Amino acid sequence: MKQTSAGLLEFEPLRELIGRYIGSPMGRACLYAVAPSTNREQIEHALAEAAEAIEYLRTSAKPQPAQRGAAIRISFNGLPDLSQATEKIRIEGASLEPRELFDLIALLDRAADARSILNAVSDRFPLLGARGSAIGDFKPLLAGIEGKILPDGTVADHASVALNRLRRDIERQKRNINESLERFLKTHRDDGTLQEEFITIRNERFVVPVVAGQRRRMQGVIHGASSTGHTLFLEPLETIDLNNELVRLIEEEMREVQRILRELTARLRQSAPEIRAAVDSMGQLDLIFAKGRFAVEFDCTIPHLSPDGQRRLELKNARHPLLSQVLKRRGGQVVPFSLELGADCRTLLISGPNTGGKTVTLKTVGLLALMAQAALPVPCESAELPVFEQVLADIGDAQSIQESLSTFSAHIARLREMAFDVTPESLVLLDEIGSATDPEEGGALGVALVDHFRAAGAFTLASTHLLALKIYGANTPTVLNASMGYDEESLAPTYQLQTGLPGKSAGLDIAARLGMPDSIMRRARASLSTREADIARMLTDLHRRLDETAARERELQAERERMQQEEIARKADYEKREAARIREVREKSEELIARFDEHSRETIQRLTETSERRKAEDLAQRKISRVKREFREQVEAELTNPASGDAPGLHPKAPALKLEEGTRVRVRGIRDVARVRRLLSNDKVEIEAGFLKMQVNFDDIEEVVPESAAPKPKLAANVKFNQGPQLNPVFQEINVIGERSEQALDRVDQFLDQAVLATASRVRIVHGHGMGILKRAIGEYLTSSPHVARFYQASANEGGAGATIVELRD
């Protein structure tokens, strides 16, 4: 990012805030490298890792050990700074100190734990799993060196056979020296030569304290004196050889220790790249989980980066993280704000009372933009921001005595730079633009600057008290006015951002609230011009109406939700009653069928057992079965008819029909028995009914008619054939005015059959106006008729609404 205005927007204090969640020096180094970027791919990848860390922490807050792949907390606290150690192992011949080795081994051990933990949950957290996979498998390496360095920074005795032997020899030699010196002390205990009766060490040699005046009475080497000079530390002659041997053994021990350290360092050097990668991965993981802990504690979300072609700045319930931290300590809470800017409106002018939160709003938007492009979670309910090329801010008083800059001059200098640097991909933040000079001239300059940034296509947020800018915002379609809330009764700001209207400054009200004397306030209000007072009253009235409108909207929303709940309850009650009604109808129908079946059996049993009557019985039984089947189908059809208001999903599935070419069938809407000509794809069947050939849906076939059900009659010699229906193939009509619906529909059905057989293409049905009952019944029938291609109301010269034109299928 070219310019970030990080100092004005307090990005460094934010970094320190996040640093509280860092547990290791490596993680802190990674945090110091965090900065806003314009690389969309890198930002989105880092944000996705932070999102997984947030979810990981939330799932591990209540661990469930029995659950497979349960998240386990990973701690980075207490990890040492190993930057020098990782550099030292790369130098051939160099050896690490024991403490450095112990710390490095401990880090590799914890890195191996992190690797196994993250690999276990890689199916749920793939990006964290990839971070874990970047840590090498150090188990073989650790198996050879682990335990050879003790926590106190010393090499363990079992680090080598030679070291173990040397340390046993040293301990034995120390015992021999102690025994020799104890004999010396026992010998001279009563001759007045000993200052005190104990053994000590001087210059890495065991000695005893003697009186300075008795030096000549004893043979040995003096290794120093006390601070008073009254005591000399004597190495008796008989222990000199023993001490010399001890010194030799200690030197050999040191040489063996150095050899072991070089050997262990050489082993680590073979895996130096993997160790460096593991240290870096632990630092990155520390940073990622620090982002997650910060997001959980401050209720943050992962921001969405809007596409370049659809740049939007939308924040919902945004809060300043540093202000949230301060108020949290005091037991308070930040008042969040929401705003939305897009392609049609990229400029927001914020006005309102002093101390009302205008500057905090600007800083919050700027800081959240930097946080998003630094791949940090932002304290919002939801956030969508563009990838800004730069953030240009003019906030605060930048006057300088040394550079002879007044407040206004400093603002102008900064605004001049911003005007030259602005691009369409910039975010511009202007605090109290046009202030510190004459209001009229400052307003003119402020309008010109804001319009310059607007014309450049940048997202611009500016705070102001100037009337000229408020009027500019109201009169410019692509500029949005906003105001900070103000309570007229308590004369206190509410810190709520309200878009759509400018706000009043309320400077006099705030001065009165802060204790300005009444006499001064009366003089100030009397000096206020009528124009300014009128504008203040107008803005007050507008805000009052806006509050009333918002309250009405909330009431309407509550009423709408209540009605939706009632509608859901009514629907559930209706479905319950319909289900009960259907169950009752089915039970009654089954009861009627059972009674009918009982009566029919009694009737059949009365028949005699003659062969002819047995045939009659079989025929009656078949007819009874058919009547029962048709009765059940009729009941189910009535229950599942959509017009009856049945709930969806209660319709029974029609029984499967076995069709093949030549099968005789009954088709819905056709009286005569038809014959199947071909089985087509898409569940369609081609049938032949008399001279009529057509394609119908499989569902339109009601029944398969056995060949025996309709035997072909034998023609007598005197049979005569009447001429078929004669219709004009272009147009014909039927008049059913005054008839009952059932009678009219029967006539219309016969009329359409005749029209189809006569190859008519268009007919007219005259049904009259009346109450529209006959017209609706005919319309419902035409909708389901297989003969009808389409139908519509006749034109005025053909009968208008009293007739219907029907176009028949070819």
Side-chain angles (χ1 to χ4, degrees):
M1 184 177 283
K2 293 180 181 178
Q3 300 187 46
T4 63
S5 300
L8 294 175
L9 299 174
E10 301 176 286
F11 188 77
E12 196 58 36
L14 172 74
R15 194 200 306 271
E16 294 176 2
L17 175 61
I18 298 176
R20 299 179 183 180
Y21 304 94
I22 295 289
S24 68
M26 297 86 70
R28 194 165 299 278
C30 293
L31 176 62
Y32 288 148
V34 169
S37 168
T38 57
N39 189 320
R40 177 185 292 269
E41 184 177 353
Q42 291 181 359
I43 297 172
E44 290 180 339
H45 180 77
L47 287 173
E49 288 183 326
E52 287 194 3
I54 295 171
E55 183 62 24
Y56 185 98
L57 292 171
R58 285 173 176 165
T59 56
S60 63
K62 296 180 180 179
Q64 301 175 1
Q67 182 180 356
R68 182 180 178 271
I72 301 174
R73 286 269 184 167
I74 302 176
S75 175
F76 300 91
N77 294 330
L79 291 178
D81 185 3
L82 295 173
S83 56
Q84 293 184 356
T86 54
E87 293 297 328
K88 190 184 293 186
I89 62 174
R90 298 168 60 184
I91 302 173
E92 193 67 33
S95 62
L96 298 178
E97 296 298 325
R99 187 67 199 182
E100 291 177 326
L101 277 169
F102 179 80
D103 290 342
L104 186 56
I105 292 170
L107 182 137
L108 294 179
D109 185 53
R110 290 176 66 173
D113 291 342
R115 178 179 185 269
S116 61
I117 290 172
L118 295 177
N119 284 344
V121 295
S122 59
D123 54 337
R124 297 164 57 196
F125 307 102
L127 298 180
L128 294 180
R131 286 285 184 183
S133 298
I135 300 174
D137 185 6
F138 297 106
K139 289 183 179 179
L141 176 64
L142 294 175
I145 63 177
E146 199 167 16
K148 292 187 176 182
I149 307 297
L150 300 179
D152 61 356
T154 60
V155 180
D157 294 347
H158 61 270
S160 71
V161 175
L163 181 62
N164 192 17
R165 176 181 56 78
L166 285 170
R167 287 185 173 172
R168 288 200 306 271
D169 292 346
I170 289 172
E171 292 299 322
R172 184 167 53 251
Q173 190 66 15
K174 287 180 179 179
R175 287 196 298 271
N176 293 336
I177 294 173
N178 279 327
E179 291 173 358
S180 174
L181 292 176
E182 285 175 358
R183 287 195 301 270
F184 179 84
L185 292 174
K186 186 177 181 181
T187 302
H188 297 281
R189 179 177 300 164
D190 299 326
D191 60 7
T193 58
L194 298 177
Q195 184 72 17
E196 292 184 53
E197 192 174 343
F198 65 84
I199 301 171
T200 185
I201 297 176
R202 286 292 184 274
N203 299 326
E204 298 182 358
R205 302 178 75 88
F206 286 88
V207 295
V208 292
V210 297
V211 179
Q214 304 294 327
R215 162 71 180 84
R216 298 183 181 275
R217 295 180 56 185
M218 291 175 287
Q219 295 181 344
V221 178
I222 300 298
H223 287 282
S226 65
S227 59
T228 61
H230 296 160
T231 303
L232 300 179
F233 295 101
L234 175 71
E235 179 184 7
L237 186 63
E238 59 189 81
T239 61
I240 291 178
D241 291 338
L242 295 175
N243 271 326
N244 288 340
E245 178 63 15
L246 177 62
V247 170
R248 185 189 68 79
L249 290 173
I250 291 175
E251 289 176 350
E252 287 189 18
E253 178 200 17
M254 293 177 60
R255 285 193 294 271
E256 179 63 15
V257 167
Q258 288 300 319
R259 185 194 68 79
I260 293 171
L261 294 178
R262 287 194 299 271
E263 179 183 345
L264 296 179
T265 304
R267 290 188 187 182
L268 294 172
R269 187 176 294 114
Q270 295 175 358
S271 303
E274 292 81 3
I275 292 174
R276 181 65 185 178
V279 173
D280 292 342
S281 295
M282 291 296 285
Q284 290 294 338
L285 284 170
D286 191 5
L287 173 60
I288 292 170
F289 280 100
K291 294 179 185 180
R293 286 187 287 272
F294 166 75
V296 170
E297 184 165 338
F298 283 81
D299 195 18
C300 297
T301 188
I302 298 299
H304 171 66
L305 302 181
S306 61
D308 292 333
Q310 301 174 357
R311 295 166 61 82
R312 289 167 49 83
L313 197 163
E314 183 176 355
L315 303 175
K316 185 176 181 182
N317 292 333
R319 308 173 305 281
H320 196 292
L322 300 178
L323 182 59
S324 297
Q325 177 199 16
V326 172
L327 293 181
K328 187 182 296 185
R329 292 174 180 171
R330 301 175 183 174
Q333 192 172 7
V334 174
V335 177
F337 69 88
S338 302
L339 61 87
E340 181 177 352
L341 298 175
D344 298 334
C345 178
R346 295 190 177 186
T347 304
L348 182 69
L349 295 178
I350 307 175
S351 53
N354 292 314
T355 70
K358 299 188 297 298
T359 302
V360 171
T361 301
L362 296 182
K363 284 189 173 183
T364 303
V365 174
L367 182 59
L368 265 56
L370 298 183
M371 291 176 67
Q373 291 185 226
L376 298 173
V378 295
C380 292
E381 185 176 328
S382 64
E384 180 177 351
L385 300 104
V387 177
F388 292 113
E389 183 182 33
Q390 56 187 348
V391 176
L392 306 173
D394 177 40
I395 299 175
D397 186 358
Q399 67 174 332
S400 172
I401 296 176
Q402 293 180 346
E403 297 181 11
S404 300
L405 289 176
S406 66
T407 299
F408 183 72
S409 300
H411 278 300
I412 292 301
R414 177 61 178 153
L415 291 171
R416 183 188 63 240
E417 295 176 2
M418 294 168 61
F420 283 123
D421 295 339
V422 68
T423 64
E425 288 75 31
S426 301
L427 172 62
V428 179
L429 304 172
L430 306 170
D431 187 29
E432 300 294 351
I433 185 171
S435 61
T437 187
D438 178 77
E440 186 173 353
E441 293 183 355
L445 179 61
V447 168
L449 281 168
V450 171
D451 198 62
H452 172 77
F453 295 128
R454 181 192 64 81
F459 282 87
T460 305
L461 284 80
S463 66
T464 184
H465 290 286
L466 299 176
L467 180 61
L469 280 162
K470 297 178 184 179
I471 296 174
Y472 166 77
N475 294 334
T476 308
T478 57
V479 178
L480 181 63
N481 262 321
S483 62
M484 303 305 298
Y486 180 73
D487 191 335
E488 296 289 340
E489 295 182 0
S490 64
L491 304 180
T494 63
Y495 306 106
Q496 293 178 343
L497 181 68
Q498 300 172 335
T499 58
L501 286 177
K504 67 173 187 175
S505 298
L508 296 181
D509 293 338
I510 294 174
R513 180 172 62 87
L514 295 177
M516 188 65 69
D518 292 341
S519 59
I520 297 176
M521 295 310 303
R522 286 194 298 270
R523 177 66 182 272
R525 295 186 191 281
S527 301
L528 190 65
S529 67
T530 305
R531 176 171 172 267
E532 292 174 347
D534 291 341
I535 292 174
R537 282 194 297 271
M538 179 195 71
L539 291 176
T540 300
D541 186 59
L542 285 175
H543 280 278
R544 179 181 57 78
R545 294 184 181 182
L546 182 63
D547 292 339
E548 292 175 355
T549 303
R552 288 195 185 98
E553 287 181 354
R554 289 192 294 271
E555 291 175 0
L556 289 174
Q557 179 63 26
E559 182 66 17
R560 187 181 299 110
E561 292 177 356
R562 185 187 63 79
M563 293 178 65
Q564 288 177 351
Q565 293 297 328
E566 290 181 356
E567 179 65 23
I568 293 173
R570 281 197 299 269
K571 184 177 180 181
D573 182 62
Y574 170 77
E575 292 177 350
K576 183 178 179 180
R577 286 188 286 106
E578 278 297 293
R581 184 186 67 83
I582 291 172
R583 186 167 56 253
E584 183 180 359
V585 170
R586 285 177 175 162
E587 290 174 356
K588 289 183 178 179
S589 65
E590 290 298 328
E591 183 181 351
L592 289 174
I593 291 173
R595 287 206 301 267
F596 173 77
D597 204 13
E598 181 180 355
H599 290 312
S600 62
R601 283 198 302 271
E602 291 176 358
T603 302
I604 292 173
Q605 287 175 359
R606 296 194 189 100
L607 298 174
T608 59
E609 294 299 325
T610 64
S611 60
E612 291 296 329
R613 291 185 178 180
R614 278 199 301 272
K615 293 179 181 180
E617 179 185 355
D618 294 338
L619 180 59
Q621 193 68 46
R622 287 196 299 271
K623 287 183 178 182
I624 289 170
S625 299
R626 180 178 178 184
V627 169
K628 288 163 59 178
R629 176 175 55 80
E630 290 177 351
F631 177 74
R632 283 197 177 96
E633 290 176 355
Q634 185 176 1
V635 170
E636 291 298 327
E638 289 295 328
L639 290 176
T640 58
N641 185 6
S644 68
D646 237 347
L650 296 177
H651 298 183
K653 188 175 180 181
L657 300 176
K658 183 176 181 181
L659 299 181
E660 56 186 17
E661 295 182 5
T663 303
R664 292 168 58 81
V665 295
R666 291 190 183 277
V667 182
R668 185 182 295 110
I670 300 178
R671 289 191 171 190
D672 297 334
V673 176
R675 188 177 294 276
V676 176
R677 298 186 75 248
R678 287 187 303 164
L679 300 178
L680 307 176
S681 59
N682 299 327
D683 294 333
K684 288 188 176 293
V685 180
E686 182 179 325
I687 64 170
E688 181 179 9
F691 296 101
L692 181 65
K693 298 177 182 178
M694 64 178 71
Q695 294 181 5
V696 298
N697 292 325
F698 187 87
D699 295 335
D700 291 334
I701 298 176
E702 297 179 336
E703 180 184 11
V704 174
V705 180
E707 293 290 339
S708 60
K712 294 182 180 180
K714 296 181 180 180
L715 298 179
N718 58 350
V719 171
K720 296 182 180 179
F721 290 93
N722 294 326
Q723 187 176 1
Q726 298 294 319
L727 292 176
N728 186 339
V730 178
F731 182 80
Q732 187 63 28
E733 70 177 25
I734 182 173
N735 191 325
V736 293
I737 294 177
E739 297 182 4
R740 296 175 60 86
S741 296
E742 295 81 359
Q743 180 183 2
L745 292 180
D746 287 338
R747 290 191 59 206
V748 169
D749 183 45
Q750 295 177 7
F751 171 69
L752 291 181
D753 287 344
Q754 294 173 359
V756 170
L757 293 175
T759 67
S761 60
R762 182 174 183 271
V763 297
R764 182 173 70 167
I765 302 174
V766 181
H767 43 67
H769 296 277
M771 299 179 65
I773 298 176
L774 186 57
K775 179 180 179 181
R776 287 195 298 272
I778 292 175
E780 292 176 357
Y781 166 75
L782 294 177
T783 301
S784 61
S785 175
H787 301 318
V788 178
R790 68 190 188 103
F791 64 96
Y792 46 87
Q793 181 177 304
S795 60
N797 60 353
E798 292 181 333
T804 298
I805 304 300
V806 181
E807 293 184 3
L808 303 176
R809 299 181 184 273
D810 294 334

